């Protein structure tokens, strides 16, 4: 089951006219760390070109060859120690500062979205989830911190992950020993979202719900009819409806920002009935928050299946792990952002996102860290231009500059032991 949607960039050394007018290369008015801001300012336009190049060459999960090559060339040019082919097309770059400190990591996903994962999209794979921005921000943070290496304490490990859309890349990188030689104390990530450009939303204790899958088998001459009734019953277990219109999406985003609001607890279910050899089958998937509700949902599915005389109910695997951002780490990031980016550019999500999945949770299962959303909505634009996985996704590229500054400063502070 896919989750979000598209965009673009340019390779190191690519010539071309500057694409953003002077003074408008990022969405912020002020960033308090003047050293980081000064270095980042020299790269803003080139990073926008990088993003546009990546956008023009989207690669689906497991096929990120060109993207990985571009990333590796940028990191090597910046002086990082680079390893490629980690868990598929994953790229790892390590930057060692001039002073002793801690090791921290930053993750950026690289793959684009297949047509079947796009809502109202086209027939081709496209960067409608913002991973081209994520990759560009990761490269930008590496470049900026490399230019400040003499002032940097500790090490920063950059993890450019493949196959996030397939929920496979993080597991593949872990299986390939991504953290065996370099062991970070924590890991951080950003994701594009439908908030005003440059606004960063932290998620203390919240995240994304993971995914559970199962099936129910039915036999007999009326198996399909009973399977359809069962599917209807399972779908009725859901407590929140997917937003279908711009107005729905505006309300949904507002609910995410509401303390103790309607999304504090939820169940999202999907069930489809189909004929099978000797009867019928119902395929079931669910997403829940809190994460311990999967047991409750499985039991409810079992009771419904029994009521229609199902032959068997199977949940062969444990639910795919959800993503829960450690509250203490999120609060620390929030304090840092309020101090450096400003309180008006820092917000809080009080609920997890019901319809999305994200395998970054596998990394957070190994170490603490943060996962936050970076607003990419252009002033005056409709919400569907910044809603990932929608075919009209068209983010404001000025978000790249703020993402680079915010994460460069945050990682430098964490590596320094603060």
């Amino acid at each position: 089951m896919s989750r979000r949607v598209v965009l673009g960039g340019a390779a190191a050394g690519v010539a071309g006219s500057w694409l953003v007018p002077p003074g408008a290369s990022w969405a912020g008015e002020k960033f308090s760390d003047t050293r980081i801001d000064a270095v980042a300012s020299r790269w803003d336009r080139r990073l926008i070109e990088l993003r546009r190049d990546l956008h023009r060459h989207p690669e689906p999960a497991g096929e990120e060859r060109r993207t990985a090559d571009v990333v590796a060339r940028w990191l090597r040019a910046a002086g990082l120690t680079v390893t490629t082919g980690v868990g598929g097309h994953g790229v790892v770059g390590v930057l060692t500062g001039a002073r002793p400190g801690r090791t921290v990591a930053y993750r950026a996903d690289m793959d684009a979205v297949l047509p079947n994962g796009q809502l109202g999209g086209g027939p081709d794979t496209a960067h409608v989830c913002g991973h081209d921005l994520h990759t560009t921000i990761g490269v930008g943070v590496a470049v900026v911190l490399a230019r400040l290496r003499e002032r940097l304490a500790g090490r920063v490990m950059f993890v450019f992950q493949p196959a996030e859309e397939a929920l496979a890349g993080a597991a593949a990188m872990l299986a390939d020993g991504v953290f065996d030689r370099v062991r970070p104390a924590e890991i951080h990530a950003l994701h594009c979202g439908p908030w005003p450009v440059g606004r960063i939303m932290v998620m203390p204790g919240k995240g994304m719900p993971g995914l559970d899958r199962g099936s129910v088998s039915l036999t007999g001459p009326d198996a399909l009819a009973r399977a359809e009734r069962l599917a209807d019953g399972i779908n009725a277990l859901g407590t929140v409806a997917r937003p279908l219109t711009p107005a729905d999406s505006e309300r949904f985003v507002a609910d995410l920002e509401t303390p103790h609001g309607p999304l504090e607890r939820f169940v999202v279910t999907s069930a489809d009935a189909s004929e099978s050899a000797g009867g019928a089958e119902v395929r079931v998937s669910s997403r829940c928050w809190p994460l311990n509700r999967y047991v409750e949902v499985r039991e409810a599915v079992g009771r419904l299946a029994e009521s229609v005389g199902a032959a068997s109910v199977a949940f062969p695997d444990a639910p795919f792990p959800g993503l829960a951002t450690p509250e203490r780490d999120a609060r620390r990031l929030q304090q840092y952002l309020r101090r450096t980016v400003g309180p008006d550019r820092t917000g809080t999500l009080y609920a997890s996102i019901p319809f999305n999945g994200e395998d970054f949770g596998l990394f957070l299962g190994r170490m603490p860290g943060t996962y936050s959303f970076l607003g990419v909505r252009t002033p005056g634009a409709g919400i569907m231009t910044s809603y990932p996985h929608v075919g009209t996704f068209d983010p404001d590229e000025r978000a790249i500059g703020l993402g680079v500054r915010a994460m460069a400063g945050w990682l430098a502070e964490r590596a320094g032991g603060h």
Side-chain angles (χ1 to χ4, degrees):
M1 180 176 291
S2 190
R3 302 157 338 282
R4 292 178 304 272
V5 207
V6 177
L7 298 183
V14 172
S17 60
W18 294 126
L19 303 170
V20 180
S25 57
W26 71 293
E29 297 174 0
K30 181 180 179 182
F31 185 73
S32 68
D33 192 320
T34 55
R35 290 171 296 188
I36 287 177
D37 190 38
V39 175
S41 295
R42 299 198 291 269
W43 291 90
D44 282 331
R45 295 171 178 130
R46 244 180 289 185
L47 290 173
I48 287 176
E49 289 188 336
L50 169 60
R51 180 262 165 182
R52 293 183 181 183
D53 175 71
L54 297 176
H55 187 72
R56 289 192 297 269
H57 300 91
E59 296 174 306
E63 300 180 24
E64 308 91 345
R65 296 173 185 83
R66 182 186 184 276
T67 305
D69 182 62
V70 170
V71 168
R73 285 190 283 117
W74 273 81
L75 298 183
R76 290 190 179 106
L80 277 69
T81 301
V82 177
T83 304
T84 59
V86 183
H89 296 294
V91 179
V92 175
V94 178
L95 174 64
T96 302
R99 297 185 289 124
R102 303 165 72 239
T103 299
V104 300
Y106 184 79
R107 177 273 213 163
D109 38 11
M110 301 187 295
D111 53 328
V113 184
L114 290 167
N116 63 7
Q118 304 173 30
L119 303 176
D124 301 315
T125 297
H127 266 298
V128 290
C129 195
H131 293 190
D132 49 348
L133 272 78
H134 304 170
T135 299
T136 300
I137 290 169
V139 167
V141 173
V143 168
V144 168
L145 292 182
R147 296 303 184 274
L148 296 169
R149 187 193 303 262
E150 294 305 313
R151 297 178 180 272
L152 180 67
R155 290 187 297 181
V156 182
M157 179 183 192
F158 294 90
V159 179
F160 290 87
Q161 181 199 311
E164 189 276 334
E165 290 295 333
L167 296 179
M173 295 190 84
L174 288 168
D176 214 1
V178 62
F179 300 128
D180 286 355
R181 286 182 291 178
V182 178
R183 298 179 181 273
E186 57 195 49
I187 190 166
H188 305 275
L190 279 181
H191 197 292
C192 292
W195 287 273
V197 58
R199 186 170 175 82
I200 299 178
M201 309 298 292
V202 300
M203 310 177 73
K206 306 299 181 182
M208 296 185 190
L211 178 65
D212 196 16
R213 289 192 177 103
S215 63
V216 182
S217 297
L218 300 94
T219 59
D222 61 343
L224 182 58
R226 289 184 289 123
E228 289 171 344
R229 292 201 306 273
L230 175 60
D232 289 342
I234 293 172
N235 286 325
L237 296 173
T239 63
V240 56
R242 185 180 295 275
L244 298 177
T245 68
D248 291 342
S249 299
E250 294 280 11
R251 285 193 296 271
F252 172 70
V253 170
D255 287 343
L256 291 173
E257 299 179 53
T258 302
H260 308 297
L263 297 179
E264 186 174 43
R265 293 173 59 87
F266 59 77
V267 173
V268 176
T269 53
S270 176
D272 297 293
S274 61
E275 288 187 289
S276 64
E281 181 181 50
V282 177
R283 294 187 178 274
V284 182
S285 66
S286 67
R287 299 184 188 275
C288 308
W289 199 273
L291 297 174
N292 59 10
R293 297 191 74 185
Y294 284 112
V295 173
E296 168 191 332
V297 174
R298 286 189 177 194
E299 290 174 348
V301 170
R303 288 193 296 271
L304 289 170
E306 184 178 4
S307 72
V308 297
S312 65
V313 179
F315 288 91
D317 300 308
F320 188 88
L323 185 164
T325 306
E327 184 164 359
R328 183 180 68 171
D329 299 280
R331 296 295 182 194
R332 285 174 174 168
L333 173 60
Q334 187 174 54
Q335 291 169 5
Y336 170 80
L337 293 172
R338 286 173 174 168
R339 186 174 76 246
T340 56
V341 175
D344 58 327
R345 293 187 177 276
T346 306
T348 304
L349 298 185
Y350 295 96
S352 299
I353 299 177
F355 313 106
N356 293 21
E358 166 60 271
D359 63 358
F360 183 71
L362 295 180
F363 293 143
L364 287 180
R366 297 289 187 96
M367 66 195 77
T370 63
Y371 185 91
S372 307
F373 280 90
L374 173 65
V376 296
R377 185 175 181 177
T378 301
I383 193 170
M384 305 316 285
T385 64
S386 56
Y387 206 97
H389 275 234
V390 177
T392 53
F393 186 67
D394 184 19
D396 192 322
E397 293 172 317
R398 293 176 299 169
I400 294 169
L402 181 60
V404 168
R405 286 163 173 79
M407 290 296 102
W410 172 240
L411 293 172
E413 178 165 301
R414 300 303 299 158
H418 300 293

